[in-house]
């Protein structure tokens, strides 16, 4: 059995597309196949574990949780009837098998008030849209007579393209009334937060009957099962907060200038990061502002004791070891958190009172069990960036306090070490490049950055009638770099007697430059600019196309925004972050890689690495944390897991993409220290530790320069200082719809390799014209820039699953054709055509255009054995007659007749006109070395082939 998401995903489309139009786009491509049910089943187990470990238990008084066996409850809240399983935008999810809250309660043995449920269901069916049922419509007497315990669920969702308002992070009038009534009616109340952003939760302290509270996040398709098991005590919650829960959203200093601001003298939006490095707990701990629940907090159903705690420092390497013992009566997991407090000198470099440097999640410890855990960090992990002095990372002389803690406020014990002199890191340890200030253009003098020296005088203020501090008339212009007078443009369109194929470059990298010389100008432009949810191929040179699509909450198949196939709908990224379990994040990445391989997705627009600057952030659900270490470690683990399955990732969005309002071209201002210590740090970890082979640039501008066209960001920092040498793609391109913003010429010069042009049908004429004109005027500079981008692109392709399938490995072989196009009353069947050079390795395409045609595919495999063969076929029969495959083709494998009547198809089992379906698997025996498969057309409902695929059967 295999699973298909049958409906095309119109729900959750990018706000971008809804805003600008999909008119004339080429977003729809054939599905690359259904995801295998066995793969789904394995992924669901990991997804359930993510939810189980990501639930954060905030309150549990008088043992209200877990519920007793078969305990009856009355359930309130429209979110319980219609939960938020995910959010919208690139992190949207789609599933045929969402597990509802009430079904999950029953499965966990919890009895709920069906009369109340039916009342909610009837009312919600008429009113819907996550409105809260008025208290006047509820029979509270019946509800209380049924049970003395109430569960009340509050729901909020996030959204790409829209930030949340303050009102959305507070209770509505109907919610407040409901909570007040329920809390005064029931003896025991448990509040579940089905949310994507941190709400104001002060009401939890206002009612003695509210004894329990937990954040269950948006749990994906199967997470409600884990939620109910947590309520029943079958799962012990072990999540810890990845963000601070403040009493008020306004307590965050970033609230003062988070939102919609436009210059008085220019039609340009802007945002100022005036809070500097004081984000989340870094602010609350440094300035002593009380919070409701601190960063790192989370309760358990059991108790843990920590003992034999030690700290060792060997040069720059630090190690904390602790023995964790489960002293309670239930198995559970704990998290050891390590914080460092730095020596601060008044008037010196800004430093927070404390910062996280390491953490470790324990195994599941049975009651009475103990285990020893080690957390390590480098002293440079808590360094500060000195922009005004050294232009380098520094560690000041003085005492450093290492806190072994349960959360940012609750320390188990402290250690200290001293540095006798100031240390300066002026050279990047990966690249060997000089570290220096790069982002002075991202700071404007009219900003005031929060400082410990004067917290009142420097506290962020809401912009009023500000004028633009710089000339922005040229901000989207592409400026060709200077070239040497004797420099020549790279060769294009070279023709050799023996054509060089990309497969040969993979074997012999010294052929790379002469291989690139063969590309024409049109081919290079296409490779750089035609990259909306795919990257194009160049068949004549063996360059494969790739299928690319979003995550991060679900791997999606081919077809861009209108994909048909998708993997498991995972709990939101915030839930994963609250597990504090990098091994689980790695497993998540592995499963996403396996899912992508199964549905033919080669490049994954995930994971994210942006920061929760403010609770209002619309995409906080897919970003991980307010802390750069948590963000970076989670992203790094996902990268490693996904890439272990040959899935190319694109860590996004580099950089300062923390709000959705005005995101297309917003001028973003921040100081160098803040950019480096807070917002670049997660990307640096994902690249240097995770080995990420792809990055997505952000919509935002650094100062006035778009991140995707910012050579300081993408060349000077990313490629030079950090030593990154791989693929960069833009976010979804709106070039031409917002003037010259997201200029592909600017992107090419900045070595933003590919433009995610999801509406290329609208853009391609102007883009190609501009690219050709720039090449004509600046052949050396622009030719060199295009060559650099294309070089990165082919490196990406050679590392992708598209290439490994194309060349044939012992794991899999994949050959791909073009979708049939309907034109008038005929079908233009591009089909398969054999490669001109007759090479046996790699994919060969075959023409099955009419009865009597014979097509042979010759290919190599490294290992003999049994392979599963699948084919995606559609009929070209215009009369719409559905005919069995066995009446249309004969097939031979290495000269042996193969009975295609044994090959299965989901659904009707017949060829359908202009509708691709996957046939298989059919097991065939192959020999090591060269093999042939021959198809002979015997019918009239001639098959058009989308792809043929072979996977080696492993024991």
């Amino acid at each position: 059995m295999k699973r298909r998401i049958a409906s095309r995903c119109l729900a959750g489309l990018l706000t971008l597309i809804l805003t600008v139009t999909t008119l004339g786009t080429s977003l729809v491509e054939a599905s690359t196949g259904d995801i295998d049910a066995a793969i789904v089943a394995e992924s669901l187990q990991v997804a359930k574990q993510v939810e189980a470990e990501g639930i954060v238990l905030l309150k549990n008084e008088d043992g209200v949780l877990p519920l007793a066996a078969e305990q009856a409850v009355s359930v309130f809240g429209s979110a319980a009837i219609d939960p938020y399983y995910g959010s919208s935008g690139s992190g949207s999810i789609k599933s045929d098998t969402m597990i509802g809250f009430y079904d999950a309660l029953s499965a966990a043995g919890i009895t709920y008030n069906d009369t109340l449920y039916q009342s909610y269901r009837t009312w919600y069916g008429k009113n819907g849209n996550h409105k809260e049922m008025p208290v006047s419509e509820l029979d509270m007497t019946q509800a209380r007579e049924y049970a003395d315990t109430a569960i009340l669920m509050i729901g909020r969702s996030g959204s790409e393209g829209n930030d949340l308002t303050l009102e959305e992070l507070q209770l509505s009038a109907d919610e407040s009334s409901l909570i007040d009534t329920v809390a005064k009616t029931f003896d025991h109340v448990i509040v579940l937060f089905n949310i994507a952003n941190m709400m104001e939760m002060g009401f939890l302290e206002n009612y003695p009957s509210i004894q329990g509270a937990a954040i269950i996040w948006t749990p994906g398709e199967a997470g409600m099962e884990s939620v109910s098991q947590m309520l029943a005590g079958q799962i012990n919650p072990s999540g810890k907060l990845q963000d601070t829960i403040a009493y008020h959203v306004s307590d965050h200093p970033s609230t003062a200038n988070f939102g919609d601001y436009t210059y008085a003298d220019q039609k340009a939006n802007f945002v100022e990061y005036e809070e500097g490095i004081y984000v989340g707990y870094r602010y609350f701990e440094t300035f002593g502002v009380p919070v409701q629940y601190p960063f790192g907090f989370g309760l358990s159903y059991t108790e843990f004791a920590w003992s034999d705690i030690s700290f060792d420092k060997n040069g720059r390497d630090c190690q904390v070891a602790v023995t964790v013992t489960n002293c309670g009566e239930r198995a559970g997991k704990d998290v050891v958190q390590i914080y460092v407090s730095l020596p601060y000198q008044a008037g010196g470099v800004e430093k927070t009172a404390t910062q996280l440097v390491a953490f470790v999640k324990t195994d599941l410890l049975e009651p009475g069990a103990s285990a020893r855990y080690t957390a390590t960090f480098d002293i440079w992990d808590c360094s500060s960036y000195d922009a005004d002095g050294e232009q380098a990372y520094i560690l000041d002389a003085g005492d450093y306090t290492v806190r072994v803690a349960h959360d940012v406020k609750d320390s188990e014990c402290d250690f200290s070490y001293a540095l006798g002199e100031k240390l300066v890191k002026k050279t990047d340890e990966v690249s060997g490049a000089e570290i220096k200030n790069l982002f002075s253009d991202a700071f404007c003098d009219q900003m005031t950055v929060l400082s410990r020296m004067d917290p009142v005088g420097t506290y962020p203020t809401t912009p009023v009638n500000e004028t633009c501090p710089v000339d922005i008339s040229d901000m989207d212009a592409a400026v060709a770099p200077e070239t040497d007078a004797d420099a020549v443009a790279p060769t294009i369109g070279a023709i050799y007697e023996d054509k060089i194929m990309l497969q040969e470059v993979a074997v012999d990298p010294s052929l790379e430059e002469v291989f690139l010389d063969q590309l024409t100008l049109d081919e290079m432009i296409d490779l750089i600019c035609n990259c909306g949810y795919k990257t194009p191929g160049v068949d004549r040179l063996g360059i494969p196309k790739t299928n690319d699509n979003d995550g991060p909450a679900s791997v999606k198949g081919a077809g861009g925004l209108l994909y048909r196939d998708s993997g498991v709908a995972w709990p939101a990224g915030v839930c994963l972050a609250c597990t504090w379990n990098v091994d689980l994040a790695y497993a998540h990445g592995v499963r996403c890689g396996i899912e992508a391989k199964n549905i033919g997705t080669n490049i994954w627009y995930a994971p994210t690495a942006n920061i929760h600057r403010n609770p209002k952030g619309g995409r906080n659900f897919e970003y991980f944390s307010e802390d750069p270490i948590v963000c970076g470690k989670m992203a790094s683990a996902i990268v490693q897991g996904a890439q272990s399955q040959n899935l190319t990732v694109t860590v996004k969005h580099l950089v300062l993409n923390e709000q959705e309002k005005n995101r297309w071209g917003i001028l973003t201002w921040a100081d160098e220290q803040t950019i480096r210590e807070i917002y670049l740090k997660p990307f640096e970890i994902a690249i240097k530790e995770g080995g990420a082979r792809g990055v997505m640039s952000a919509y935002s501008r650094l100062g006035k320069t778009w991140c995707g066209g910012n050579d300081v960001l993408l060349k000077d920092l990313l490629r030079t200082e950090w030593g990154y040498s791989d693929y960069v793609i833009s976010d979804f391109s709106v070039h031409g719809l917002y003037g010259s913003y997201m200029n592909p010429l600017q992107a090419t010069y900045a070595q933003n390799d590919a433009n995610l042009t999801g509406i290329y049908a609208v853009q391609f004429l102007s883009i190609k014209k501009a690219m050709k004109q720039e090449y004509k005027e600046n052949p050396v500079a622009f030719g060199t820039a295009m060559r650099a981008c294309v070089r990165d692109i082919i490196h990406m392709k050679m590392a992708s699953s598209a290439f490994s399938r194309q060349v044939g490995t012992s794991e899999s072989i994949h050959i791909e054709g073009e979708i049939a196009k309907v034109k008038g009353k005929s079908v233009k069947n591009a089909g398969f055509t054999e490669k001109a050079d007759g090479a046996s390795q790699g994919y060969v395409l075959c023409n099955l255009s009419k009865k009597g045609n014979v097509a042979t595919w010759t290919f190599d495999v490294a290992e003999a054995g049994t392979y599963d063969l699948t084919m995606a076929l559609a009929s070209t029969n215009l009369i719409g007659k559905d005919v069995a495959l066995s009446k249309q083709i004969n097939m031979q494998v290495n000269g042996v007749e193969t009975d295609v009547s044994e090959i299965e198809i989901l659904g009707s089992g017949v060829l359908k006109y202009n509708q691709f379906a996957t046939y298989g698997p059919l097991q065939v025996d192959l020999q090591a070395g060269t093999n042939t498969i021959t198809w002979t057309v015997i019918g009239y409902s001639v098959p058009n082939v989308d792809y043929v695929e072979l996977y080696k059967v492993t024991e």
Side-chain angles (χ1 to χ4, degrees):
M1 287 291 295
K2 292 191 175 184
R3 176 179 101 154
R4 172 172 290 255
I5 305 303
S7 59
R8 292 177 180 266
C9 282
L10 297 176
L13 291 183
L14 286 172
T15 302
L16 168 61
I17 299 303
L18 296 178
T19 302
V20 299
T21 188
T22 55
L23 180 63
T25 71
S26 58
L27 294 176
V28 182
E29 293 194 2
S31 167
T32 51
D34 308 323
I35 187 164
D36 191 280
I39 291 174
V40 170
E42 292 179 17
S43 291
L44 283 175
Q45 293 306 309
V46 179
K48 292 174 187 177
Q49 189 65 25
V50 169
E51 177 66 25
E53 294 195 31
I55 296 170
V56 180
L57 184 61
L58 298 174
K59 192 174 185 179
N60 192 19
E61 297 176 353
D62 298 331
V64 69
L65 287 172
L67 299 172
E70 298 185 359
Q71 181 173 345
V73 295
S74 287
V75 179
F76 295 88
S78 64
I81 291 288
D82 186 15
Y84 289 104
Y85 295 100
S87 296
S88 64
S90 74
S92 64
I93 59 175
K94 190 78 172 177
S95 174
D96 295 334
T97 56
M98 296 290 188
I99 297 176
F101 182 58
Y102 290 90
D103 290 339
L105 287 176
S106 296
I110 300 171
T111 304
Y112 62 83
N113 185 340
D114 187 66
T115 300
L116 178 60
Y117 166 69
Q118 294 299 337
S119 177
Y120 260 105
R121 186 177 178 184
T122 299
W123 184 91
Y124 195 81
K126 297 176 181 178
N127 298 276
N129 199 26
H130 294 281
K131 294 178 181 177
E132 196 55 69
M133 186 172 174
V135 172
S136 60
E137 301 280 343
L138 294 167
D139 186 347
M140 297 303 295
T141 300
Q142 186 277 335
R144 178 62 183 83
E145 289 175 350
Y146 182 85
D148 66 354
T149 300
I151 295 174
L152 194 156
M153 190 179 294
I154 297 171
R156 295 291 188 276
S157 179
S159 173
E160 179 176 1
N162 295 283
D163 296 311
L164 280 73
T165 65
L166 175 60
E167 292 72 24
E168 288 172 317
L169 295 175
Q170 297 172 329
L171 296 176
S172 68
D174 284 338
E175 287 172 331
S176 293
S177 178
L178 176 64
I179 289 169
D180 184 70
T181 301
V182 171
K184 290 177 179 178
T185 302
F186 288 81
D187 299 330
H188 314 289
V189 179
I190 300 161
V191 178
L192 299 180
F193 293 94
N194 168 216
I195 59 177
N197 296 62
M198 291 303 189
M199 295 181 62
E200 294 184 356
M201 301 180 184
F203 70 90
L204 294 176
E205 301 177 359
N206 297 338
Y207 300 94
S209 62
I210 299 181
Q211 298 175 318
I215 305 176
I216 65 170
W217 307 110
T218 54
E221 67 179 276
M224 282 301 180
E225 182 177 308
S226 298
V227 172
S228 295
Q229 290 174 346
M230 178 274 296
L231 294 171
Q234 298 158 15
I235 283 174
N236 190 346
S238 61
K240 304 291 183 179
L241 289 176
Q242 88 304 7
D243 283 355
T244 305
I245 300 180
Y247 279 103
H248 305 285
V249 174
S250 59
D251 291 342
H252 292 266
S254 58
T255 302
N257 46 34
F258 184 100
D260 186 8
Y261 302 104
T262 305
Y263 289 118
D265 61 338
Q266 298 282 350
K267 289 184 178 180
N269 305 114
F270 69 97
V271 61
E272 297 170 344
Y273 285 44
E274 289 191 328
E275 71 280 358
I277 63 171
Y278 301 109
V279 178
Y281 74 86
R282 284 169 159 78
Y283 167 73
F284 296 112
E285 294 302 306
T286 302
F287 296 96
V289 178
V291 300
Q292 187 170 9
Y293 295 106
F295 176 84
F297 174 82
L299 300 175
S300 171
Y301 291 157
T302 192
E303 298 292 332
F304 296 97
W306 294 1
S307 60
D308 300 324
I309 303 175
S310 64
F311 170 72
D312 293 303
K313 180 177 178 294
N314 183 10
R316 56 189 285 177
D317 297 322
C318 298
Q319 176 177 289
V320 174
V322 55
T323 297
V324 180
T325 302
N326 185 345
C327 301
E329 299 179 354
R330 294 176 180 271
K333 296 186 177 186
D334 201 7
V335 178
V336 178
Q337 304 169 35
I338 312 298
Y339 298 84
V340 173
S341 297
L342 316 177
Y344 170 70
Q345 301 171 354
V349 175
E350 291 294 328
K351 296 176 185 175
T352 61
T354 192
Q355 61 189 70
L356 184 75
V357 291
F359 58 89
V360 60
K361 184 83 174 259
T362 72
D363 302 308
L364 183 68
L365 297 175
E366 296 296 330
S370 298
R372 192 157 182 80
Y373 295 93
T374 301
T376 61
F377 66 97
D378 188 310
I379 61 172
W380 285 104
D381 291 340
C382 56
S383 62
S384 304
Y385 189 82
D386 180 7
D388 296 331
E390 301 286 352
Q391 294 195 32
Y393 291 95
I394 65 165
L395 291 166
D396 279 325
D399 294 328
Y400 290 74
T401 301
V402 179
R403 298 190 301 112
V404 186
H406 301 281
D407 61 53
V408 73
K409 287 187 174 295
D410 184 9
S411 294
E412 184 74 18
C413 66
D414 297 348
F415 299 93
S416 65
Y417 65 90
L419 293 180
E421 61 180 2
K422 175 181 176 181
L423 302 180
V424 179
K425 183 192 287 187
K426 192 65 178 172
T427 302
D428 186 275
E429 294 176 333
V430 172
S431 68
E434 179 188 9
I435 298 172
K436 59 185 178 181
N437 287 357
L438 295 174
F439 303 110
S440 58
D441 287 345
F443 182 80
C444 62
D445 292 336
Q446 61 197 38
M447 283 179 63
T448 299
V449 181
L450 182 60
S451 172
R452 291 174 71 170
M453 283 288 292
D454 182 13
V456 176
T458 61
Y459 194 85
T461 57
T462 299
V464 178
N465 293 323
E466 284 196 14
T467 57
C468 189
V470 294
D471 177 13
I472 61 173
S473 61
D474 63 344
M475 62 182 175
D476 292 321
V479 179
E482 294 183 1
T483 57
D484 295 335
D486 57 351
V488 296
T491 301
I492 63 172
I495 299 175
Y496 306 129
E497 182 176 349
D498 294 321
K499 183 167 52 177
I500 301 171
M501 304 297 288
L502 186 59
Q503 293 86 344
E504 297 173 77
V505 178
V507 175
D508 183 0
S510 68
L511 297 174
E512 181 173 278
E513 293 306 314
V514 289
F515 168 81
L516 291 171
D517 288 346
Q518 299 172 110
L519 288 165
T520 67
L521 181 59
D522 283 331
E523 287 169 337
M524 288 194 293
I525 292 172
D526 199 44
L527 285 167
I528 293 169
C529 297
N530 186 12
C531 299
Y533 299 95
K534 65 181 180 183
T535 62
V538 181
D539 290 345
R540 69 182 187 88
L541 297 177
I543 301 176
K545 77 169 187 178
T546 62
N547 290 314
D548 315 348
N549 216 327
D550 277 315
S554 178
V555 175
K556 301 172 175 68
L561 300 173
L562 303 180
Y563 64 93
R564 290 187 298 174
D565 302 308
S566 70
V568 161
W570 292 83
V574 284
C575 182
L576 179 61
C578 287
T579 69
W580 292 60
N581 188 336
V582 293
D583 292 335
L584 193 52
Y586 178 85
H588 167 67
V590 169
R591 296 311 310 171
C592 289
I594 291 171
E595 291 175 1
K597 187 185 302 181
N598 191 248
I599 60 176
T601 298
N602 312 118
I603 300 177
W604 188 35
Y605 299 155
T608 57
N610 297 105
I611 293 288
H612 293 175
R613 178 178 174 239
N614 189 274
K616 294 181 182 180
R619 298 182 79 171
N620 282 7
F621 70 95
E622 59 181 304
Y623 303 164
F624 293 117
S625 173
E626 65 187 24
D627 179 77
I629 298 297
V630 172
C631 284
K633 296 295 184 181
M634 287 293 162
S636 177
I638 293 171
V639 165
Q640 290 174 313
Q643 291 187 168
S644 75
Q645 301 302 310
N646 212 17
L647 176 61
T648 299
V649 302
T650 58
V651 184
K652 62 184 186 182
H653 313 82
L654 187 69
V655 63
L656 300 183
N657 199 130
E658 277 67 44
Q659 77 172 45
E660 292 299 285
K661 186 66 177 178
N662 302 321
R663 63 180 180 156
W664 299 326
I666 189 170
L667 279 72
T668 309
W669 305 100
D671 66 284
E672 182 108 18
Q673 181 185 6
T674 298
I675 294 171
R676 284 180 174 270
E677 288 186 24
I678 305 298
Y679 297 99
L680 285 174
K681 182 60 69 176
F683 292 93
E684 187 175 11
I685 294 171
I687 289 168
K688 291 183 176 179
E689 295 183 14
R693 298 195 298 262
V695 168
M696 180 182 287
S697 58
Y699 277 131
S700 53
R701 301 177 188 270
L702 271 174
K704 71 175 187 177
T705 307
W706 168 48
C707 288
N710 194 312
D711 57 359
V712 173
L713 175 67
L714 300 184
K715 283 187 172 180
D716 297 348
L717 177 89
L718 182 64
R719 298 187 186 278
T720 300
E721 184 178 317
W722 290 358
Y724 180 78
S725 59
D726 287 292
Y727 180 65
V728 178
I729 187 170
S730 75
D731 207 331
F732 191 104
S733 175
V734 295
H735 178 68
L737 303 170
Y738 287 81
S740 53
Y741 167 59
M742 299 188 81
N743 185 347
L745 309 184
Q746 192 182 47
T748 303
Y749 278 128
Q751 208 171 335
N752 186 119
D753 304 310
N755 295 266
L756 206 168
T757 46
I759 50 174
Y760 196 53
V762 177
Q763 300 165 311
F764 81 97
L765 289 176
S766 61
I767 286 178
K768 292 187 78 169
K769 180 180 179 181
M771 295 282 283
K772 287 185 174 182
Q773 184 63 32
E774 185 68 18
Y775 181 78
K776 180 179 179 181
E777 295 177 2
N778 297 289
V780 175
F782 200 59
T784 301
M786 284 196 295
R787 173 67 68 99
C789 292
V790 171
R791 184 183 297 111
D792 291 337
I793 289 168
I794 68 160
H795 288 172
M796 174 274 292
K797 287 176 179 285
M798 285 192 289
S800 75
S801 55
F803 186 74
S804 63
R805 290 180 176 184
Q806 172 177 300
V807 300
T809 68
S810 61
E811 177 189 49
S812 64
I813 303 167
H814 182 86
I815 60 172
E816 196 162 290
E818 298 181 11
I819 306 166
K821 306 292 194 302
V822 177
K823 184 177 181 182
K825 293 184 177 180
S826 65
V827 174
K828 180 184 177 183
N829 181 5
F832 289 146
T833 55
E834 189 167 355
K835 283 170 35 174
D837 62 3
S840 61
Q841 189 177 35
Y843 65 81
V844 265
L845 305 177
C846 55
N847 189 337
L848 298 179
S849 61
K850 62 181 180 179
K851 184 177 180 180
N853 274 12
V854 177
T856 300
W857 174 35
T858 303
F859 58 96
D860 288 348
V861 296
E863 300 176 22
T866 301
Y867 287 71
D868 280 339
L869 181 146
T870 59
M871 301 185 291
L873 308 174
S875 172
T876 61
N877 190 324
L878 295 176
I879 64 173
K881 185 177 180 182
D882 297 337
V883 184
L885 178 63
S886 60
K887 296 182 179 180
Q888 299 309 306
I889 62 171
N890 286 335
M891 187 171 77
Q892 292 184 335
V893 178
N894 293 328
V896 178
E897 191 79 21
T898 301
D899 185 2
V900 295
S901 65
E902 296 180 9
I903 203 165
E904 296 181 353
I905 180 176
L906 292 179
S908 64
V910 294
L911 285 170
K912 288 189 175 182
Y913 168 63
N914 204 36
Q915 177 180 327
F916 282 98
T918 302
Y919 289 77
L922 176 68
Q923 291 197 342
V924 296
D925 293 324
L926 301 179
Q927 59 197 17
T930 301
N931 293 261
T932 60
I933 294 180
T934 302
W935 292 277
T936 303
V937 179
I938 60 174
Y940 291 95
S941 185
V942 180
N944 178 75
V945 187
D946 181 30
Y947 70 81
V948 179
E949 193 160 48
L950 289 163
Y951 282 92
K952 191 172 190 301
V953 177
T954 56
E955 297 298 330

